[in-house]
């Protein structure tokens, strides 16, 4: 009996093996369908810690910067379907009041906020700011709470995370009025001394940090070894161990040096102070000069959030008028191209600094329009018309009306439609250019001569003139004949 069972088992095993072998030979291999086919992976770029506001701001603090960015990791699985984000802020009770934020796709149910992101394309992302944080009085630096967020989609594994929301140390004030510096030659060093004040009742227990940004053509040249820089020398972060005392003002022990880049007309240096030192990850180049320290100073004018240095360089942007003669016959309307030639070497960059040109047309003429095109549309007057006859047409080349014809580093002209009303021998108009950086006034003005020819008679006018002449001749002939006839009758 036992032998028959063993033989039966062996035959069953052999049969199973044979079936498997035959199946592998006779039928092609078909990959098994993945259980997670069409599923995507989500990633939430939410910080683990977030600074809500400074303790001394209390109930006046408002912060709407907390967002929940969600990315769909790139794959062939298609979009994430019906993405939703839920944020529970009940853990912030006592350290912040929370109200609905700017996100139009978010709703509030007590301390819980829900944002509907909808379908998010593969490899793309979506973000919203679910709530606004409002401070409360009586908090201390370091007070904190925890919020929880959950991200779900119909075809993705849910994500859950937390963020520690903290009340920061005292806010630090910088100079309220900007520092203005003139005639900075490119390559020459200038300097400024950053200052701040701690007007709160709290001590900056963690020390303080200075963040400096150089924009629009300025470059940082200081390199203290307690500072970190970016590779372009336009951003720096410096840490100080000084525990800034309440109701006390400080300045750096040495000035911060900067210079202007070649060809730049102006620049801005800005700086802020923080009692929550945290070096930005992108600033990796450490300075090699002796470190900056802090020393106490007078508390004068330190009521601003950001300190500014506005610098104007010695570089100029020379403008020269582009003019032409108003040439044609009396009664005709002609188009005359008028404008500016940008001789550089600097290049104005903003609408306010691009400058203008002003046109006074020659006597005996009338400007009927200055047509322009903007985004497939346009109008009749690219320039502001004078209020009185004989005044100047003012053309601001930074306006959108000049966008189609504006050429930085080249010629910007626009067509003036001018009617020649009468001949005025020697009549000349003027065109004058200007911008804040033009330091060569000798070539800013040019003349617009008038060369008017007599009007030509058209066919109707000529026919009327000929007809009038003929009629006059016939009348004269009739009078002469009548006189002769009268004399002949008298003689008889």
């Amino acid at each position: 009996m036992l032998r028959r069972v063993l033989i039966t088992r062996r035959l069953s095993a052999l049969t199973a093996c044979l079936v498997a072998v035959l199946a592998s030979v006779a039928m092609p291999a078909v990959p098994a369908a993945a259980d997670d086919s069409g599923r995507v992976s989500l990633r939430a770029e939410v910080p683990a810690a977030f600074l809500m506001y400074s303790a001394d701001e209390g109930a006046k603090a408002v912060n709407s910067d907390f967002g929940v960015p969600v990315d769909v990791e790139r794959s062939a699985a298609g979009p994430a379907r019906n993405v939703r984000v839920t944020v529970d802020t009940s853990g912030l009770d006592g350290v912040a009041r929370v109200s609905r934020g700017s996100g139009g796709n978010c709703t509030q149910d007590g301390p819980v906020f829900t944002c509907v992101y909808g379908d998010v394309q593969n490899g793309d992302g979506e973000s919203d700011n679910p709530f606004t944080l409002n401070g409360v009085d009586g908090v201390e630096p370091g007070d904190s709470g925890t919020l929880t967020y959950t991200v779900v989609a119909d075809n993705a594994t849910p994500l859950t995370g937390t963020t520690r929301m903290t009340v920061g140390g005292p806010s630090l004030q910088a100079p309220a009025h900007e520092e203005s510096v003139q005639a900075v030659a490119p390559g020459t060093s200038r300097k400024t001394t950053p200052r701040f004040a701690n007007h709160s009742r709290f001590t900056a227990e963690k020390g303080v940090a200075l963040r400096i940004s150089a924009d629009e053509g300025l470059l940082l040249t200081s390199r203290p070894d307690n500072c970190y820089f970016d590779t372009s020398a336009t951003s720096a972060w410096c840490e100080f161990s000084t525990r800034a005392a309440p109701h006390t003002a400080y300045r750096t022990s040495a000035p911060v040096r900067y210079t202007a880049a070649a060809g730049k007309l102006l620049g801005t240096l800005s700086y802020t102070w923080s009692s929550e030192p945290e070096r930005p990850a992108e600033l990796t180049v450490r300075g090699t000069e002796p470190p900056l320290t802090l020393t106490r100073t007078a508390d004068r004018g330190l009521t601003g959030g950001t300190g500014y240095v506005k610098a104007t360089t010695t570089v100029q942007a020379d403008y020269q008028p582009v003019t032409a003669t108003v040439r044609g016959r009396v009664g005709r309307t002609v188009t005359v191209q008028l404008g500016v030639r940008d001789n550089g070497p600097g290049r104005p960059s903003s609408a306010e600094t691009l400058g203008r040109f002003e046109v006074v047309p020659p006597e005996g003429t009338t400007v009927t329009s200055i047509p322009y095109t903007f985004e497939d549309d346009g109008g009749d007057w690219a320039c502001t018309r004078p209020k009185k006859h004989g005044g100047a047409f003012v053309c601001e080349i930074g306006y959108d009306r000049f966008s189609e014809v504006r050429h930085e580093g080249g010629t910007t002209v626009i067509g003036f439609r001018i009617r020649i009303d009468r001949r005025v021998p020697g009549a000349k108009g003027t065109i004058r250019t200007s911008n804040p950086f033009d330091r060569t006034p000798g070539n800013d003005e040019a003349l617009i001569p008038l060369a008017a020819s007599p009007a030509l008679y058209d066919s109707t006018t000529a026919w009327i003139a000929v007809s009038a002449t003929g009629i006059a001749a016939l009348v004269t002939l009739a009078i002469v004949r009548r006189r002769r006839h009268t004399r002949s009758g008298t003689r008889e």
Side-chain angles (χ1 to χ4, degrees):
M1 185 70 181
L2 179 60
R3 180 177 179 82
R4 184 176 300 175
V5 171
L6 290 176
I7 292 174
T8 303
R9 288 179 178 175
R10 288 176 182 174
L11 287 174
S12 300
L14 287 172
T15 302
C17 292
L18 181 59
V19 170
V21 170
L22 290 174
S24 65
V25 173
M27 301 180 60
V30 178
D35 293 336
D36 60 351
S37 177
R39 297 187 67 80
V40 299
S41 295
L42 302 178
R43 184 175 66 254
E45 302 289 344
V46 183
F50 185 83
L51 186 65
M52 295 188 292
Y53 60 95
S54 295
D56 56 287
E57 293 179 289
K60 296 180 294 184
V62 178
N63 188 342
S64 301
D65 293 340
F66 186 86
V68 185
V70 176
D71 295 326
V72 181
E73 294 187 3
R74 189 173 297 280
S75 71
R81 297 190 300 273
N82 192 21
V83 179
R84 290 97 65 202
V85 171
T86 302
V87 182
D88 185 350
T89 65
S90 58
L92 303 183
D93 188 34
V95 293
R97 292 177 294 107
V98 186
S99 58
R100 185 176 173 182
S102 59
N105 299 321
C106 302
T107 58
Q108 179 181 4
D109 182 11
V112 178
F113 296 83
T114 301
C115 302
V116 178
Y117 289 4
D119 292 351
V120 180
Q121 295 302 311
N122 202 280
D124 204 349
E126 186 64 61
S127 182
D128 221 326
N129 293 55
F131 55 79
T132 295
L133 292 163
N134 301 275
V136 296
D137 289 330
V139 293
E140 299 282 333
D143 287 351
S144 62
T146 300
L147 63 77
T148 301
Y149 61 88
T150 302
V151 182
V152 298
D154 291 350
N155 57 334
T157 301
L159 296 178
T160 299
T162 61
T163 298
R164 194 68 176 169
M165 311 288 281
T166 306
V167 176
S171 53
L172 307 177
Q173 278 73 50
H177 299 289
E178 68 181 36
E179 178 184 345
S180 179
V181 182
Q182 304 294 322
V184 180
T188 61
S189 182
R190 292 297 184 95
K191 56 190 179 182
T192 188
T193 302
R195 301 180 296 135
F196 75 90
N198 177 8
H199 293 146
S200 77
R201 62 184 179 88
F202 303 109
T203 298
E205 299 289 352
K206 301 178 183 178
V208 299
L210 169 65
R211 180 69 187 267
I212 311 173
S213 295
D215 302 301
E216 300 176 339
L218 295 189
L219 301 172
L220 295 170
T221 56
S222 288
R223 290 291 184 273
D225 73 355
N226 60 326
C227 300
Y228 291 82
F229 302 83
D230 63 353
T231 55
S232 63
T234 58
S235 187
W237 180 87
C238 307
E239 185 175 13
F240 303 86
S241 59
T242 302
R243 298 167 67 245
H247 309 294
T248 307
Y250 297 83
R251 62 171 175 82
T252 55
S253 56
V256 172
R257 302 186 309 276
Y258 62 90
T259 189
K264 297 297 184 178
L265 298 169
L266 45 76
T268 301
L269 193 75
S270 61
Y271 63 87
T272 56
W273 294 88
S274 172
S275 60
E276 296 288 333
E278 184 176 352
R279 176 164 63 92
E282 68 272 15
L283 303 183
T284 58
V285 181
R286 185 170 182 173
T288 57
E289 299 175 356
L292 284 175
T293 58
L294 295 178
T295 185
R296 293 197 178 190
T297 189
D299 187 354
R300 290 195 296 267
L302 298 174
T303 57
T306 303
Y308 290 98
V309 178
K310 298 285 189 178
T312 302
T313 74
T314 56
V315 178
Q316 76 155 338
D318 179 32
Y319 277 4
Q320 181 179 351
V322 174
T323 187
T325 299
V326 181
R327 189 183 305 278
R329 295 189 180 277
V330 172
R332 298 289 179 87
T333 298
V334 297
T335 299
V336 182
Q337 299 291 330
L338 302 173
V340 302
R341 180 177 296 109
D342 181 357
N343 294 329
R347 299 282 177 257
S349 57
S350 66
E352 294 79 12
T353 61
L354 279 173
R356 62 170 62 174
F357 64 94
E358 300 179 8
V359 172
V360 178
E363 184 182 356
T365 67
T366 300
V367 177
T368 60
S369 67
I370 312 171
Y372 67 93
T373 300
F374 175 64
E375 294 182 351
D376 299 325
D377 200 355
D380 291 332
W381 297 101
C383 306
T384 303
R385 289 173 283 180
K387 295 182 179 179
K388 296 181 179 180
H389 181 73
F393 291 80
V394 179
C395 306
E396 303 281 357
I397 64 176
Y399 284 6
D400 289 339
R401 287 168 279 184
F402 280 82
S403 62
E404 299 288 337
V405 297
R406 184 169 54 238
H407 298 285
E408 296 181 15
T411 298
T412 295
V413 295
I414 199 163
F416 279 64
R417 299 281 293 162
I418 302 177
R419 186 182 67 238
I420 303 174
D421 299 321
R422 65 185 189 280
R423 297 180 71 189
V424 180
K428 294 180 177 66
T430 58
I431 175 171
R432 175 183 291 275
T433 65
S434 64
N435 77 70
F437 309 104
D438 189 342
R439 304 187 183 95
T440 308
N443 64 352
D444 290 350
E445 186 172 330
L447 299 176
I448 306 172
L450 171 63
S453 304
L456 282 177
Y457 293 108
D458 57 26
S459 59
T460 302
T461 304
W463 182 85
I464 292 173
V466 171
S467 300
T469 303
I471 292 171
L474 292 173
V475 170
T476 302
L477 180 60
I479 293 173
V480 171
R481 288 181 176 178
R482 184 175 183 181
R483 287 177 179 174
R484 288 178 180 176
H485 179 70
T486 301
R487 289 176 184 174
S488 298
T490 301
R491 289 174 183 174
E492 291 177 356

